[in-house]
Amino acid sequence: MAQQAEDLRLERIFNRVAEAVAHAAGRPWAFASCLACVVAWALSGPVFDFSETWQLVINTGTTIVTFLMVFLIQNTQNRDGAAIQAKLDELIRSGQGKNDFIGIEHLTEAEVQEFRNRCAEAKQAQLRSEGAY
């Protein structure tokens, strides 16, 4: 039980950090800061004779930032997607929609396509019955 509480605490901390970093990374000042770093690096080229070390600095820096950002952004997108899915499921459950659609995000691609085909067929049948087709 104590391990679960600790895991939950660490997950919450990670989620808060991931959300804050993802939010900050999308701000204009973050872009401007990155652009300033690249310009400073480019302008320092003549000072370092455009050496391999000089090139390695930008390559290593951008690789590290990209590597870390992929995980943070993916975490944020996963949580956002799960929240949207939960909201859609609740709308389907509480509305007049078919409850068959709740949880279809866990099906295979072929099974989801089958649901989409059924929806398209139902729409075509509705249009035909209304005389619009």
Side-chain angles (χ1 to χ4, degrees), residues 19-123:
E19 191 172 315
V21 171
H23 181 73
R27 308 295 294 176
W29 63 263
F31 176 79
S33 297
C34 290
L35 182 62
C37 286
V38 170
V39 168
W41 168 80
L43 293 175
S44 70
V47 174
F48 295 102
D49 293 325
F50 301 99
S51 68
E52 287 183 21
T53 302
W54 172 78
Q55 293 176 35
L56 189 60
V57 167
I58 197 72
N59 289 340
T60 303
T62 56
T63 299
I64 290 169
V65 169
T66 302
F67 180 76
L68 295 174
M69 288 303 292
V70 164
F71 293 103
L72 292 177
I73 292 170
Q74 186 63 52
N75 173 270
T76 302
Q77 287 181 338
N78 288 347
R79 283 186 290 114
D80 288 349
I84 289 170
Q85 194 59 54
K87 291 173 185 178
L88 289 172
D89 287 349
E90 178 59 17
L91 287 172
I92 292 169
R93 189 196 61 74
S94 65
Q96 294 182 1
K98 287 189 171 185
N99 288 345
D100 296 350
F101 291 98
I102 292 177
I104 67 170
E105 70 276 8
H106 301 293
L107 300 177
T108 66
E109 185 76 25
E111 292 168 323
V112 171
Q113 188 58 46
E114 183 180 323
F115 270 99
R116 293 182 71 193
N117 291 343
R118 279 200 272 164
C119 288
E121 289 169 8
K123 182 64 176 177

